[in-house]
Amino acid sequence: MRSILYKFMSKFTSLNEVERQDIVEGIPIEEYKKGTVLLRQGDVPSKCFFVLKGCVRQSSIDESGKEVTSNFYTEEQAVSIFNRHQESRPSAYTLTCLEDSILVVGDLIAEQDMLHKHAQLETMIRKMVEENLGEVQDELTFFIASNPEERYKALLQKRPHLLTRVPQHQLASYLGITPESLSRIKKRVHSGDE
């Protein structure tokens, strides 16, 4: 599992092998069972996560009391907590493991010590955040401009593994539609494949 971290760090930094090893050895890796809640909506986050194996769902309860899925994080994705530097601000989301998962667990306070020790980590984090924000912006623009069938087709192209890993009602929520609409779209799209 640590080899995934080495690969990821190489993408964003020019740290040498010794520095990468020092960082990777100092980072806790934890296993979580399916159903584990990593963070509850309303709690103040104290940790951040990077998925080595598994799937983490980001969801929230809206004003009407309806549960809404806003993202799924799978292998080699950082679970972004953008309010983390405002220490007392509660999370707008709940994070739940949808599968047995292996995650890198970053303590937001200990992170500062690591940043002081390895200055390139700050550059790495900035590049990761920039890439992540760019992807989120592109996804949001597409989501707003597309219809449900186009969203489903984009999911098939970019993240097809979610179809077998995520319950249909959560996938429908993520696409902004009802489970019944998702069923109809799937039938229509897949009958056209034949």
Side-chain angles (χ1 to χ4, degrees), residues 97-109:
C97 294
L98 291 185
E99 302 172 342
D100 290 346
S101 300
I102 301 174
L103 309 175
V104 171
V105 181
D107 182 297
L108 298 177
I109 295 166

Side-chain angles (χ1 to χ4, degrees), residues 44 57 59 76 78 81 86 101 119 130 146 180 187:
V44 176
R57 173 181 176 236
S59 63
E76 294 187 43
I81 302 172
Q86 297 175 341
S101 300
E130 286 171 358
S146 62
E180 294 77 21
K187 280 182 187 169

Side-chain angles (χ1 to χ4, degrees), residues 17 24 37 40 43 46 64 73-74 77 83 91 97 117 151-152 157 176 184:
E17 183 65 30
V24 169
V37 176
R40 290 191 189 283
D43 289 352
S46 62
S64 68
Y73 300 96
T74 55
Q77 289 187 310
N83 67 339
S91 173
C97 294
K117 188 174 177 185
R151 288 180 213 144
Y152 177 74
Q157 184 180 23
R184 286 192 296 273

Side-chain angles (χ1 to χ4, degrees), residues 65-84:
K66 181 179 159 191
E67 188 175 62
V68 178
T69 298
S70 49
N71 211 344
F72 299 100
Y73 300 96
T74 55
E75 288 77 11
E76 294 187 43
Q77 289 187 310
V79 180
S80 305
I81 302 172
F82 287 111
N83 67 339
R84 63 189 197 163

